[in-house]
Amino acid sequence: MATVPLLTDEAADPAARAVFDDIRAKRQTDYVNNFWRALAHDPPLLAATWDRLQQVMAPGALDPLVKELIYVAVSVTNGCEYCTHSHTAAARAKGMTPAMHAELLAVIAMAAQTNALATALQVPTDERFQT
Amino acid sequence: MATVPLLTDEAADPAARAVFDDIRAKRQTDYVNNFWRALAHDPPLLAATWDRLQQVMAPGALDPLVKELIYVAVSVTNGCEYCTHSHTAAARAKGMTPAMHAELLAVIAMAAQTNALATALQVPTDERFQT
Amino acid sequence: MATVPLLTDEAADPAARAVFDDIRAKRQTDYVNNFWRALAHDPPLLAATWDRLQQVMAPGALDPLVKELIYVAVSVTNGCEYCTHSHTAAARAKGMTPAMHAELLAVIAMAAQTNALATALQVPTDERFQT
Amino acid sequence: MATVPLLTDEAADPAARAVFDDIRAKRQTDYVNNFWRALAHDPPLLAATWDRLQQVMAPGALDPLVKELIYVAVSVTNGCEYCTHSHTAAARAKGMTPAMHAELLAVIAMAAQTNALATALQVPTDERFQT
Amino acid sequence: MATVPLLTDEAADPAARAVFDDIRAKRQTDYVNNFWRALAHDPPLLAATWDRLQQVMAPGALDPLVKELIYVAVSVTNGCEYCTHSHTAAARAKGMTPAMHAELLAVIAMAAQTNALATALQVPTDERFQT
Amino acid sequence: MATVPLLTDEAADPAARAVFDDIRAKRQTDYVNNFWRALAHDPPLLAATWDRLQQVMAPGALDPLVKELIYVAVSVTNGCEYCTHSHTAAARAKGMTPAMHAELLAVIAMAAQTNALATALQVPTDERFQT
């Protein structure tokens, strides 16, 4: 259950429905996932989030699959169940193979481990890491 | 300050010094950074961590720079100051350009934001994300 | 499922039942929510938590609704599913409107985003923020 | 030290300088704090963050001080040193008294404590919290 | 649901099945829990994790039950639902009594609370804590 | 720097000074560490925290050193710099040897790693972990 009802197209106000339509058009699907239906209670936040997501995830100096892997890494580290599922699925849709998934998980686990050690040891930052 | 003294080559025991030597040889540098000097109080943990790091970060289905970007993303999300510095430096050494750094940060920030929203809304996972 | 059984009034020991009764009396309800029934395995911890909660959440320099909004913000950021649900419900019971809920979420998301950026950039604290 | 140099007005590109000017104008100060000078390496991210911050923190259903208290609560929970300092200072500037600060801290601490307990106990969400 | 299918003995490759067999032999049970069945998609990661876990959790300067309590504390603090359940069960299997469980929870909650306060106050580390 | 000035005995109000005196008496030291001097701005919170800490950390089903190790584990996982330092020092004062410290760190790192994997894989909880 969500802390707000998920809004159907009928229940959403026109501004939210316009975002739903844009999601369907841009993603070439008739499916709008639950995140957007929950956010639709606040149409300006919905629109701002969708607009920003498209800008951030567009091809650039990093390709979209690499961005999606980074998104999964953050979502896992934040312990976000929904985001871990949705961005793992998105990464697969963008070409993540099982071998890439396995390596992604190994890096996340390695980082979690050395992050904990560095924090436990309170290691001071080396001068040479300074820019 | 660290919670343990950083060990110089002289103060480290032979097993730890062997890891220091291996780090210098593999990285083609005479510098051993503070993380390893702090870990050196537990030579088996030092050796296990260094060995595993090399396996995990080696080229594979993902290239080493992509792995380093993922490492930064996890370190930032865990709030690890040392790791954020050391892996940002490592990513630069492996070819991260300012444009790639900027996009990395934008993705991390976007994920942090939608993670928070999905958690606040307790959005249920869509059936179609299931494998 | 919980890691301990939830205790009914019958199963709880007298010290825990006294807290249940106080919860019902103070909240003017006959319902004791699951958190307290799980905590009841440790009656002193149950009593200490309930006592402290009342002191902390009482009207003071901040009004109870504002305190509840802060409670939701912490719970979301900690990724606590139960607490996100229970304190969102409590905030509504204390007068949080849908517009207030939407703004609460927007602030939480904004903070999550700039927290991540400040950490990724390791921005040094400005002198003028010092007291 | 930051992971990027903080940019002075002279070093920043015109798009970033325009944001600095807007910050000075809107805040009626000649001071631009370090966060913005670090973000200035990515002028579009700088502009997007500044624009969004103004929208989110503007008076609405919640007043700006309440929003700032929520911002502090998220920043503390995320362990963001910079943000804890900057938003505590911002809250003071918007009228947070010592008594309000004390109550803010007491609520954050209480929530941290019950979040941990609810997670340790894996308390199932009560039906009645559902919307 | 998991982000990957849980592998049965039949579906797992021989390297993964060998780890399953070792788990059954070492734990003297015919049950292999879901964590290992999910990890089995990456046999080297499965083997490395299982090997390391045995080394780390073996009797040493700390006894296995104390190690398990520490494991629970980390898992709760990271908000890991699976790990909180599995390591609470493991701690019970190693002799954690209800009284020990109650004290474990009280310490976790106390630490969560003072961690939040120390971070909110940004308390500088005392000189005398330095080694 | 802290977000509030650290209060000397002279600057603290009588209720806070009474807590300082009790800390000195119970710990048989003339030193009051920074955490308490920062908390002293809110004497009731100071007193409540000190009282609760004594109850929670007293010998019981778990001995005080084990409790201190758990405290360190939580503090590290929460990324609390101050608490990592102060509780590592406290654990040493209560008898933590270098070997115990090394094992504590190894367990924390192992848990951080498997927590990340379980979250990334979204492993469903086994029925048999249910109580």
Side-chain angles (χ1 to χ4, degrees), chain C residues 61-128:
Chain C
L62 300 177
D63 76 66
L65 175 53
V66 168
K67 291 183 174 184
E68 205 67 51
L69 299 176
I70 293 165
Y71 218 116
V72 172
V74 174
S75 300
V76 166
T77 308
N78 275 327
C80 182
E81 178 178 337
Y82 184 84
C83 314
T84 298
H85 278 297
S86 63
H87 290 280
T88 299
R92 281 201 183 100
K94 289 180 182 173
M96 179 179 73
T97 62
M100 293 166 82
H101 192 200
E103 293 189 15
L104 169 64
L105 265 57
V107 177
I108 292 172
M110 189 74 211
Q113 176 178 19
T114 59
N115 287 181
L117 288 169
T119 300
L121 292 162
Q122 289 291 309
V123 184
T125 303
D126 302 68
E127 292 261 326
R128 69 172 55 199

Side-chain angles (χ1 to χ4, degrees), chain A residues 1-4 35 38-39 41, chain B residues 116-124, chain C residues 76 84-85 101 105:
Chain A
M1 67 181 177
T3 58
V4 295
F35 178 69
L39 261 190
H41 289 272
Chain B
L117 288 169
T119 300
L121 292 162
Q122 290 290 309
V123 183
Chain C
V76 166
T84 298
H85 278 297
H101 192 200
L105 265 57

